[in-house]
Amino acid sequence: MLFAGFVAPVASDTAENFMSFFNFLTVVSVILFVITAAFGIYFTFKYRRRTENDEVPYIHGSNWIEWGSIFVIAVISAVIFVWGYLDYRYQIAPKMDEYEINIVGRQWSWSMEYEHGARLANQLVLPVDTPIALIMKSEDVLHSFFIPAFRTKQDVVPGIFTTLRFTPNKVGTYNIFCAEYCGTDHSGMMGEAIVLSQEDFQRWQDGLLNIPEFVKTVGANVAANGGNLNSGALDPAPAKSDLALTPMAAKGEKLFNTKTCSTCHSIDGSRKVGPSFKGLWGSLEETQDGAKVKVDENYFRESLLEPMKRITKGYPPAMPTFKGQLTDDEIRYLIAFVKTLK
Ligand code: CUA
């Protein structure tokens, strides 16, 4: 990697794509700069005033040079656009077997919640070489989740879910920053992404690997990264259990019954007042006005809080709003539950 060493470590697939593109841009810029500067210097010297009586020569334009440069610049611009577009499309596309982690931003810390029940403050534990999807939301103001070593950044917004995708490909510890000014301690809203080997990640999930110890012994660049004082486990990873559902989904199942969702929605595919939740997640639903909507985090949240906005075709507008009755955390648990109903 040409310029990789001058900037942050390169530790994800996105970062590698980004650096190839960045190197291309840098090389093209340097070449164009050298050519332009060389002609400038050469002409300054060649056409300098030699005597007091020199007259400025009248120079005609050259169609060949003008159209030639326009063509070359147009081609370079098109390459830059297509390359950037393809990288971006790859980055936002859902991958096979993604590992999902919930991120909540607030003034001024991050919390990371895992399907198996662990909840961490300012520490994002990741398995190497595994496609990751971060499902993110904010509890207060705009934040932005930024991992320079992965070359990924995404706004974290109150009221909606945003998603950030990448595949970390180097074991190590990397900085997380908030990249959107969010108040007094914005600059202190930091964390660390800890990429473990897949075996270590499994051991961590099973409660056999303690992250602070791991960081102390293996994460040699934590100190170089400035470290982080207020990091640590809020809820340690629970020991492996025989539960059919992950702790998050189990909480969601409980809410599904206590909030009486089950009155109108089945989980076995049978029709009640509303659509069944079986196989619902990720499907394309047709709304009353014929538009298609994908059942994702944002549509699910909207259906709970503003159910009349987009009703599935063929069903009565019978859904009550749950505004003020469900916390954002509870909505995330319900989502985790519905995701299990394949
Ligand atoms: Cu959060 Cu800046």
Side-chain angles (χ1 to χ4, degrees), residues 154-232:
Q154 171 66 52
D155 277 8
V156 179
V157 185
I160 62 169
F161 289 95
T162 51
T163 308
L164 185 58
R165 295 189 155 87
F166 53 86
T167 304
N169 58 14
K170 275 197 194 72
V171 170
T173 307
Y174 310 100
N175 283 322
I176 298 170
F177 294 117
C178 178
E180 184 74 57
Y181 181 67
C182 57
T184 316
D185 279 340
H186 157 71
S187 60
M189 194 169 165
M190 295 192 294
E192 53 201 11
I194 300 158
V195 181
L196 304 177
S197 69
Q198 296 189 353
E199 300 75 50
D200 279 348
F201 186 78
Q202 191 56 51
R203 284 174 53 217
W204 173 72
Q205 273 195 325
D206 295 345
L208 300 172
L209 179 77
N210 193 332
I211 287 303
E213 276 167 30
F214 173 85
V215 171
K216 219 185 296 166
T217 52
V218 186
N221 55 350
V222 178
N225 283 344
N228 208 295
L229 293 175
N230 53 357
S231 302

Side-chain angles (χ1 to χ4, degrees), residues 1 24 179 209 216 228 290 293 305:
M1 288 278 167
F24 169 77
L209 179 77
K216 219 185 296 166
N228 208 295
V293 56
L305 304 181

Side-chain angles (χ1 to χ4, degrees), residues 223-281:
N225 283 344
N228 208 295
L229 293 175
N230 53 357
S231 302
L234 298 175
D235 297 337
K240 207 171 192 142
S241 70
D242 300 324
L243 281 177
L245 294 172
T246 63
M248 273 185 75
K251 285 182 194 166
E253 185 185 33
K254 213 169 144 200
L255 287 165
F256 176 77
N257 293 311
T258 56
K259 299 285 177 184
T260 65
C261 313
S262 50
T263 313
C264 299
H265 299 278
S266 79
I267 56 171
D268 60 1
S270 63
R271 191 191 163 104
K272 286 189 176 177
V273 178
S276 174
F277 283 172
K278 187 182 168 65
L280 180 71
W281 195 262

Side-chain angles (χ1 to χ4, degrees), residues 16 36 43 64 76 80 88 106-107 109 141 163 172 184 234 252 259 269 271 281 283 288 293 295 322 338 341-342:
E16 280 177 5
T36 314
F43 286 139
W64 188 85
I76 294 174
I80 290 172
Y88 177 68
R106 65 179 69 83
Q107 289 167 320
S109 68
V141 299
T163 308
T184 316
L234 298 175
K259 299 285 177 184
R271 191 191 163 104
W281 195 262
S283 66
Q288 304 258 305
V293 56
V295 182
F322 281 82
V338 173
L341 304 170
K342 300 208 169 100

